[in-house]
Amino acid sequence: THGSGVRSADPSPDGTQAAGVRCLDGDCDLVLVNLASGSVRTLAAGTPTLSWYRPRWSPDGRTLATAVQRDGIWRVALVDAASGAERAPFAQGDSVNRYDASFTPDGRALVYVSEASGIPNVE
């Protein structure tokens, strides 16, 4: 992927692809990289007001835990690796930044950084 601007990549559990962020011209997209061919597919597009950050695979390879910034706030999102459909894993109706999400080894919970206390802490 030379020159593709892909970073923060995480290989899928089956080793066939990697999820990452591609930042070009100020927009940061959520992308999948085919590890055999190097081809890059946009899973969820970024915009000047929406940025993706640090995707991580679920153990079953079906979901990505990632951070998305909207309206100046970082939120944890779950993204379907096949369709790109996004959902919030829990109510996030506040203005707290949450990011750097990863699945636990069994895939039943998330660990992430939250600034709810005023400083970054692991939740």
Side-chain angles (χ1 to χ4, degrees):
T1 62
H2 294 286
S4 293
V6 177
R7 58 184 170 193
S8 300
D10 187 41
S12 61
D14 67 6
T16 62
Q17 57 187 338
V21 174
R22 176 182 55 197
C23 295
L24 298 171
D25 301 322
D27 296 339
C28 293
D29 304 327
L30 182 62
V31 299
L32 294 177
V33 178
N34 180 302
L35 295 177
S37 69
S39 65
V40 179
R41 177 173 69 98
T42 301
L43 190 58
T47 70
T49 59
L50 184 149
S51 291
W52 296 96
Y53 173 70
R54 198 183 169 277
R56 294 296 178 255
W57 288 94
S58 62
D60 67 8
R62 297 190 320 211
T63 306
L64 297 167
T66 187
V68 60
Q69 185 186 54
R70 287 188 182 93
D71 302 320
I73 299 169
W74 286 101
R75 304 281 189 199
V76 172
L78 298 178
V79 177
D80 182 275
S83 71
E86 175 192 350
R87 67 182 170 89
F90 44 79
Q92 299 181 92
D94 54 28
S95 61
V96 173
N97 286 310
R98 293 179 178 90
Y99 47 89
D100 282 343
S102 292
F103 286 92
T104 56
D106 65 6
R108 298 180 62 185
L110 291 172
V111 177
Y112 56 89
V113 174
S114 169
E115 296 179 5
S117 70
I119 60 170
N121 285 289
V122 175
E123 287 189 2

